[in-house]
Amino acid sequence: MIIEPRMRGFICLTAHPDGCAQNVKNQIEYVKSKGAINGPKKVLVIGASTGFGLASRITAAYGSGASTIGVFFEKAPSEGKTASPGWYNTAAFEKEAHAAGLYAKSINGDAFSKEIKDKTIELIKADLGQVDLVIYSLASPVRKHPDTEVLHRSTLKPIGGTYTNKTVDFHTGKVSEISIEPATEEDIANTVAVMGGEDWAMWIDALKAENLLAEGATTVAYSYIGPALTEPVYRKGTIGRAKDDLEATAFKIADKLKDIEGKAYVSVNKALVTQASSAIPVIPLYISLLYKVMKAEGVHEGTIEQIQRLYADRLYTGNAVPVDEKGRIRIDDWEMREDIQSKVAKLWEEATTETLPAIGDLPGYRSDFLSLFGFEIDQVDYQKDAQEVVEIEGLVN
């Protein structure tokens, strides 16, 4: 079938298998071009099918020759209906990995559930014995708590007062003002339950209890801070509270891993176009201005560049991992450079529907957004029929 992007708000309802496959191949080639990393050998990636999680899996496999297990929750394809992009990404990754002689298996299901944790534990026991790196990269809007069975929903809200600022519709380029009502205490608690550190800690506890973490194992979760500009809706809002909890959890996990000389880190990553970030008001406008400035300065990175640099220049240098005063790895260092941020802040004041085409990089934002779903990838002929039903070779049922 011919597959075209079908949009609904900040969601694309279709995905292109050939585009997703080419996107994965491009990321693999980038990692290979940067040379070997003396890194992990047996890796579990929780949230492995898109964005930073996918890049983490690719970097481990093709930078360090690692065996990888990926856990994710994706929609399978059916006749006449495309899968979600993460399904096609994983199918492509596993096909490439197996052809290269690399171990790669995947589990599709709710990573918050005890059932999926148990299934993952059994797979590690059977195939790998232990893992030496656990990446936690979940980005779900809802979580059914495995103990209470309460369904928690996260929100994107400021705390303490209504927040009003500019935003952009990245489809039309229209810049407008948006107001977001403040969160309730319940909103905050629910967001922390979904996006905080509790589930990360549950995964590590479960793995350690079964002796599945190798001596010196590392675990990393991903976070974001961002500029003062986005603080009220992000870092000082409901999501920020969840990220505070995630970052506090890293210290608790690190204490639990002392007996195996293990380490736990939060990596603060750069603002990038993801399905999650596209849903946050203000962020698309900020990213379009940031891209313009960082590309002009020659320091722009996508997810694969970020994660390859995280592995090569932070986690696996052979020296102590450099962290900030709060114990976090800062791979957002180029984004947060003073000169970059002062230029973005100046452009923010100037940003209108009329000026944005000249001062921002909305085409780059749109292109990155569509590429998440396998569209607008240079090497793909979108006029050709695509096979929508694609199997994941190493999917564990």
Side-chain angles (χ1 to χ4, degrees), residues 16 138 147 326 394:
H16 202 287
L138 285 191
D147 297 334
K326 292 188 176 179

Side-chain angles (χ1 to χ4, degrees), residues 15 54 96 146 181 187 216 218 220 228 231 240 256 285 300 323 367 396:
L54 175 64
E96 295 294 322
E181 294 300 307
D187 289 332
T218 297
V220 182
E231 254 186 4
K256 291 177 182 178
L285 180 58
H300 175 67
V323 294
S367 178
V396 178

Side-chain angles (χ1 to χ4, degrees), residues 264-276:
Y265 300 103
V266 164
S267 174
V268 179
N269 298 352
K270 176 194 176 213
L272 285 168
V273 180
T274 63
Q275 290 180 59

